[in-house]
Amino acid sequence: QIEQCFIYQVFGGKLRSQIHCTACNYKSNKYDPILDLNLEIFRTRSLERALNMFTSKEVLDGSNKYNCPKCKNMVKAVKQMLLCEAPNILAIQLKRFAFGKYGMKIENMVTFPARLDMSKYICGGKKQGPIMYSLYGILVHSGHSIHSGHYYCFVKCPSGAWVCCDDGYVHQVSEKKVLEQKAYMLFYSKESSAGSGAARMEIQTLGSSLAVKEGKKSIHSSSNGGGRVASLRADDFSAGGHHRPGSSSSSSLSPPGSPRSPPGSPGSPRALART
Ligand SMILES: [Zn+2]
């Protein structure tokens, strides 16, 4: 059962595809579990417009008439897709890659907000009032085609500061900088009525229980511990502040010539060198 899977609990939602017969009013609903939304951006300059297009009503008429199972006629019908269950984490893929001979990339700038109201795109959402999501991560692809390039991401720390993670090169950036990116994927977390971030807390709890399980596994499977590992804790960044490399003089961000312990030693540096 997909609903029980951890990934589904985090990213999962349901998409409802409805066909409404205009002759007898019959509504046929089909529900599909999804882990992300894939949006066309070919003629789009904003995320909201892409969502409007995705959920717009399509008239089935002429040679495309609907065979209604209730009134047993070929009828004019209206088809619409809407999210039915809003996911905790909403992952949105902007379809930048056109498949075909050359795997061309669509380089449109598509604007996206830091806070997104999804109520228009969720079944019964308009009655519920705003269903707010906060942007907390984006993935960017640099390169001109599907066949090559490089991925990097921007992530919002619990402190509210944004960091750019580009391989081992991690640095703080402004939210303005994040919103200027030609994003390939967007990650929004649902704000709960009990206060924003509650849904994310729940996910962090789920995530850490998973990490504990994974950690137990890796103790048994890994024999070469003590390697030089790039690690940077989210709380190393503060909102509006600069990077705090921590109190350790062995940080690899310390000035050249400052004392540092050899790689791999206990409490060894956070490797930040670009790889
Ligand atoms: Zn009908």
Side-chain angles (χ1 to χ4, degrees):
Q1 195 71 11
I2 188 173
E3 282 84 355
Q4 257 102 62
C5 144
F6 169 74
I7 301 293
Y8 188 84
Q9 285 173 40
V10 177
F11 298 100
K14 284 221 166 76
L15 199 61
R16 185 189 76 183
S17 169
Q18 183 178 80
I19 300 178
H20 177 198
C21 169
T22 57
C24 75
N25 246 354
Y26 173 73
K27 285 173 184 164
S28 154
N29 290 320
K30 222 183 94 198
Y31 298 88
D32 287 307
I34 52 156
L35 293 173
D36 55 12
L37 281 180
N38 304 300
L39 303 181
E40 299 286 351
I41 57 163
F42 190 57
R43 285 186 212 91
T44 311
R45 293 289 179 271
S46 77
L47 174 64
E48 290 89 337
R49 176 102 182 92
L51 283 164
N52 286 342
M53 277 164 54
F54 182 75
T55 55
S56 66
K57 290 180 176 170
E58 181 195 351
V59 178
L60 308 177
D61 200 7
S63 59
N64 203 18
K65 275 189 172 168
Y66 174 60
N67 188 1
C68 177
K70 189 154 182 236
C71 63
K72 316 268 187 224
N73 277 321
M74 293 302 284
V75 293
K76 181 178 164 183
V78 179
K79 185 179 173 184
Q80 187 182 28
M81 308 266 261
L82 280 177
L83 262 178
C84 189
E85 268 170 32
N88 285 313
I89 297 291
L90 174 65
I92 298 175
Q93 183 202 5
L94 304 175
K95 291 162 87 172
R96 291 203 173 272
F97 298 108
F99 288 94
K101 198 174 172 187
Y102 302 108
M104 288 299 289
K105 191 174 165 191
I106 299 164
E107 298 272 15
N108 292 0
M109 177 67 203
V110 177
T111 61
F112 49 93
R115 290 183 79 222
L116 175 67
D117 179 5
M118 284 294 290
S119 57
K120 267 170 78 180
Y121 316 110
I122 293 173
C123 313
K126 282 177 193 163
K127 286 179 207 152
Q128 287 179 46
I131 301 173
M132 298 307 299
Y133 279 81
S134 305
L135 184 71
Y136 82 97
I138 75 168
L139 178 70
V140 182
H141 173 265
S142 75
H144 299 294
S145 89
I146 193 168
H147 304 297
S148 64
H150 175 65
Y151 288 100
Y152 53 98
C153 65
F154 295 82
V155 183
K156 194 175 193 176
C157 300
S159 65
W162 280 93
V163 288
C164 173
C165 304
D166 185 351
D167 288 342
Y169 180 50
V170 178
H171 60 286
Q172 191 166 343
V173 294
S174 65
E175 185 172 82
K176 183 172 175 283
K177 179 92 180 163
V178 175
L179 299 177
E180 284 168 357
Q181 300 298 314
K182 287 182 180 172
Y184 174 53
M185 286 202 73
L186 304 167
F187 295 88
Y188 283 91
S189 71
K190 194 178 180 183
E191 296 177 7
S192 85
S193 50
S196 73
R200 222 172 130 192
M201 281 299 293
E202 200 178 300
I203 284 151
Q204 277 168 356
T205 313
L206 276 168
S208 40
S209 67
L210 189 80
V212 168
K213 282 183 206 157
E214 289 298 313
K216 277 180 190 156
K217 265 187 226 160
S218 66
I219 289 165
H220 299 294
S221 62
S222 153
S223 55
N224 59 339
R228 190 179 159 97
V229 178
S231 78
L232 197 69
R233 288 171 303 137
D235 58 4
D236 283 343
F237 294 91
S238 57
H242 294 287
H243 176 238
R244 288 181 283 112
S247 56
S248 165
S249 63
S250 68
S251 167
S252 53
L253 283 182
S254 50
S258 66
R260 59 169 67 201
S261 49
S265 66
S268 73
R270 296 183 182 123
L272 282 176
R274 197 182 172 109
T275 49

